[in-house]
């Protein structure tokens, strides 16, 4: 399995994560992303709302951030006391070693008993502003590192549930206990599996240094203001997803390439050599086929292998995905086997689409009905396996008797939405599919015709499309020949509209 990270710089920085050449995640770092997940702000309580048991907090965004009682954290009283003493200059030791903790707040308490208007509070962004809503925040702070997460005002040690070995969990717990500073809790991340105490301690010291730097900013800090920023997106992606399976990281900008090499030198020195600077003659996303995948993956309809496809609809309350088998016929299999085959292909694509678009909330997938309970169980297990690498928290319910599978997936930032339709060049003032999507459709339909054993196939298309398919080496038509051992004659037709095309057989009869 090859994993590649392709990074394109410009007015924004785009990150494409490829698995065996297939796009599975796409991230964008805007220059003005002031409220990213993980950022910590010193903020002011605007007002408490007892009816919601929550408070609205001014973090500097146009809409107040929302802070629910359950997101305060049990030690919020200690945090408030700490902020007051640090911001007035009375406390200059930020280690928490000798800091006297207050009692935990009542789990079922009322927010007005804890927070008052105009009170200063450290809060962390847990969900970026989405649509008309302001950020969702928490005052239970955490600072993420490569191997561990540092949690101030806690004494707990937690180990990632994805580490399955009980012996490894015990080993990590023992190591972390030996280096954990008093007053801080530690969460051990999955990538810490097999690591030595020196590597964990180095990560811990880096996090404590970030905590100390943040605390220094609190003295006479402007309210509201960011006191600890999450890493830039390149570093945070590497921190969260990078592992030994990565085979290459391609960057098209020299300065960013050097910064990534420096970061890898810290977290994985042996892997520094996989970082390469891209030759600027061909755009990096074009070179690795990412533009094509973006155009064909973000539309309402998503094609899959063997003629199957998904239809993805978005509503205010949920996302709905419909699985379709397409025009496929397989005489060797009965309807149940065909349904299972299409559903298993679709499970992989659904998992990919959720990560690619960063879809969150409630997702309902309408798979093709299957009568066999064992087949439904196979589908459920396959979907869970495909979503195993998804970093967003999610829950999958078994198929209902109607063939529906319900998924809830954590949403912490706006859904990735890419426009795949373009202005109609025929002058209708409407929109049409992007030409690259049209070429993909032609390819899929051609494969169907070849399977039906047409001996001679002619494609008639608009001169622009015909030129695109025949120019260059290897041309698109040449690739078809290499793959299918069938030469396709392409005829430009001036009378055709821009996106019109038809296939003809050896007698000149229209096939499609």
């Amino acid at each position: 399995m090859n994993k590649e990270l392709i990074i394109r710089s410009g007015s924004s920085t785009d990150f494409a994560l490829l698995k065996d050449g297939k796009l599975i995640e796409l991230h964008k770092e805007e220059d003005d992303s002031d409220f990213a997940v993980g950022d910590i702000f010193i903020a002011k309580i605007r007002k408490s709302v007892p009816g919601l048991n929550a408070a609205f907090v001014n973090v500097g965004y146009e809409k107040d951030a929302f802070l629910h009682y359950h997101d305060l954290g049990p030690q919020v009283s200690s945090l408030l006391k700490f902020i007051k003493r640090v911001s007035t200059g009375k406390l200059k030791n930020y280690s928490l070693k000798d800091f006297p903790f207050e009692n935990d707040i009542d789990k079922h308490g009322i927010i007005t008993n804890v927070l008052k208007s105009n009170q200063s509070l450290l809060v962390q962004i847990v969900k970026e502003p989405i649509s008309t809503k302001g950020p969702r925040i928490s005052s239970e702070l955490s600072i993420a590192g490569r191997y561990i997460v540092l949690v101030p005002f806690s004494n707990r040690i937690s180990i990632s549930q994805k580490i399955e070995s009980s012996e490894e969990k015990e080993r990590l717990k023992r190591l972390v206990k030996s280096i954990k500073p008093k007053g801080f809790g530690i969460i051990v991340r999955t990538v810490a599996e097999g690591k030595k105490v020196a590597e964990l301690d180095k990560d811990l010291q880096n996090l404590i240094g970030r905590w100390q730097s943040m605390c220094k900013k609190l003295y006479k800090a402007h309210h509201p203001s960011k006191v600890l920023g999450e890493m830039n997106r390149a570093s945070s992606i590497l921190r969260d997803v990078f592992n030994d399976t990565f085979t290459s990281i391609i960057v098209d900008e020299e300065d960013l390439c050097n910064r990534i090499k420096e970061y890898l030198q810290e977290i994985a020195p042996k892997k520094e050599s996989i970082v390469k600077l891209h030759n600027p003659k061909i755009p990096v996303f074009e070179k690795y086929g990412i533009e094509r995948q973006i155009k064909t993956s973000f539309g309402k309809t998503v094609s899959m292998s063997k003629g199957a496809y998904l239809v993805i609809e978005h509503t205010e309350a949920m996302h709905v995905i419909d699985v379709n088998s397409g025009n496929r016929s397989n005489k060797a299999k009965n309807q149940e086997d065909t349904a299972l085959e299409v559903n298993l292909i679709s499970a992989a694509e659904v998992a990919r689409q959720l990560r690619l678009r960063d879809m969150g909330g409630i997702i309902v997938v309408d798979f093709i009905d299957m009568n066999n309970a064992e087949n439904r169980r196979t589908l459920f297990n396959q979907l869970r396996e495909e979503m195993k690498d998804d970093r967003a928290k999610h829950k999958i319910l078994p198929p209902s008797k109607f063939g529906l599978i319900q998924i809830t997936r954590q949403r912490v930032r706006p859904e990735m939405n890419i426009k795949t339709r373009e202005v109609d060049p025929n002058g209708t003032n409407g929109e049409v599919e992007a030409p690259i999507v049209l070429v993909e459709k032609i390819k899929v339909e051609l494969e169907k015709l070849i399977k039906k054993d047409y001996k001679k196939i002619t494609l008639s298309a608009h001169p622009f499309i015909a030129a695109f398919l025949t120019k260059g080496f290897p041309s698109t038509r040449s690739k078809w020949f290499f793959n299918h051992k069938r030469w396709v004659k392409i005829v430009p037709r001036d009378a055709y509209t821009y996106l019109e095309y038809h296939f003809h057989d050896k007698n000149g009869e229209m096939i499609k």
Side-chain angles (χ1 to χ4, degrees), residues 329-382:
S329 59
N330 192 333
K331 296 176 183 176
K333 297 189 177 183
N334 58 37
Q335 188 176 348
E336 182 78 10
D337 289 344
T338 301
L340 176 61
E341 183 183 21
V342 172
N343 283 340
L344 293 179
I345 292 169
S346 302
E349 186 60 30
V350 165
R352 172 178 172 257
Q353 286 291 329
L354 296 185
R355 289 177 70 181
L356 193 54
R357 302 183 188 216
D358 207 3
M359 292 162 63
I362 300 171
I363 301 111
V364 177
V365 188
D366 183 9
F367 286 98
I368 298 170
D369 290 351
M370 296 185 295
N371 296 321
N372 188 315
E374 183 61 33
N375 287 344
R376 292 197 295 270
R377 189 156 44 249
T378 300
L379 170 62
F380 178 58
N381 291 335
Q382 175 76 4

Side-chain angles (χ1 to χ4, degrees), residues 287-442:
K287 167 78 173 173
Y288 292 90
I290 297 166
E291 287 292 1
R292 178 186 294 270
Q293 292 193 57
I294 289 172
K295 291 285 188 182
T296 56
S297 298
F298 279 87
K300 178 180 174 181
T301 303
V302 179
S303 299
M304 298 180 290
S305 61
K306 300 189 178 180
Y309 63 95
L310 303 178
V311 178
I312 303 176
E313 299 274 8
H314 308 280
T315 71
E316 184 68 28
M318 66 175 69
H319 308 278
V320 181
I321 303 176
D322 185 36
V323 175
N324 294 274
S325 59
N327 303 325
R328 63 197 307 274
S329 59
N330 192 333
K331 296 176 183 176
K333 297 189 177 183
N334 58 37
Q335 188 176 348
E336 182 78 10
D337 289 344
T338 301
L340 176 61
E341 183 183 21
V342 172
N343 283 340
L344 293 179
I345 292 169
S346 302
E349 186 60 30
V350 165
R352 172 178 172 257
Q353 286 291 329
L354 296 185
R355 289 177 70 181
L356 193 54
R357 302 183 188 216
D358 207 3
M359 292 162 63
I362 300 171
I363 301 111
V364 177
V365 188
D366 183 9
F367 286 98
I368 298 170
D369 290 351
M370 296 185 295
N371 296 321
N372 188 315
E374 183 61 33
N375 287 344
R376 292 197 295 270
R377 189 156 44 249
T378 300
L379 170 62
F380 178 58
N381 291 335
Q382 175 76 4
L383 184 58
R384 287 202 304 180
E385 180 65 23
E386 292 289 348
M387 292 191 66
K388 186 174 68 174
D389 293 334
D390 194 337
R391 289 175 292 140
K393 291 179 184 175
H394 60 271
K395 186 172 184 181
I396 309 170
L397 297 183
S400 71
K401 62 182 179 180
F402 300 117
L404 303 175
I405 287 186
Q406 299 171 69
I407 304 168
T408 59
R409 186 175 183 275
Q410 182 187 32
R411 181 168 71 165
V412 297
R413 54 179 61 90
E415 181 187 338
M416 180 68 72
N417 186 18
I418 291 179
K419 192 175 175 66
T420 59
R421 296 180 72 82
E422 299 178 0
V423 176
D424 186 354
N426 297 307
T428 64
N429 295 324
E431 290 185 335
V432 293
E433 286 178 321
I436 200 72
V437 179
L438 177 81
V439 172
E440 199 68 25
K441 284 176 69 176
I442 292 174

Side-chain angles (χ1 to χ4, degrees), residues 144-289:
R146 170 72 173 150
Y147 303 119
I148 62 177
V149 179
L150 188 68
V151 185
F153 303 100
S154 170
N155 281 307
R156 289 185 59 192
I157 297 175
S158 305
I159 311 291
S160 167
Q161 293 180 352
K162 290 184 179 179
I163 297 175
E164 296 175 354
S165 165
S166 55
E167 291 85 359
E168 178 62 8
K169 283 184 175 180
E170 279 302 315
R171 184 189 77 88
L172 287 169
K173 199 165 189 176
R174 193 167 60 250
L175 293 183
V176 168
K177 201 171 184 179
S178 68
I179 59 174
K180 185 184 83 66
K182 188 180 177 185
F184 292 91
I186 288 178
I187 301 168
V188 180
R189 307 184 73 176
T190 311
V191 288
E193 191 169 6
K195 299 302 176 186
K196 296 178 180 177
V197 68
E199 295 173 280
L200 301 180
D201 189 52
K202 182 182 177 183
D203 200 27
L204 174 63
Q205 296 309 317
N206 178 47
L207 296 179
I208 290 174
R210 295 184 71 196
W211 164 258
Q212 301 269 8
S213 298
M214 183 197 79
C215 292
K216 287 176 185 175
K217 294 179 185 176
L218 295 180
Y219 180 57
K220 295 183 178 178
H222 173 72
H223 289 60
S225 64
K226 187 189 295 189
V227 290
L228 183 65
E230 177 58 291
M231 292 176 166
N232 63 57
R233 187 60 61 88
S235 299
S236 65
I237 287 174
L238 287 173
R239 180 194 67 198
D240 294 341
V241 306
F242 183 82
N243 55 39
D244 291 338
T245 63
F246 271 69
T247 53
S248 63
I249 299 172
I250 312 296
V251 193
D252 69 350
E253 201 263 322
E254 190 170 4
D255 183 48
L256 182 58
C257 182
N258 291 333
R259 292 207 307 269
I260 289 173
K261 280 185 176 180
E262 287 173 9
Y263 183 66
L264 271 190
Q265 185 63 41
E266 288 181 23
I267 67 170
K270 292 178 182 176
K271 282 286 188 177
E272 185 193 345
S273 60
I274 70 172
V275 183
K276 299 283 192 300
L277 181 64
H278 174 69
N279 185 334
K281 288 182 180 178
I282 304 172
V284 67
F285 272 25
E286 292 280 354
K287 167 78 173 173
Y288 292 90

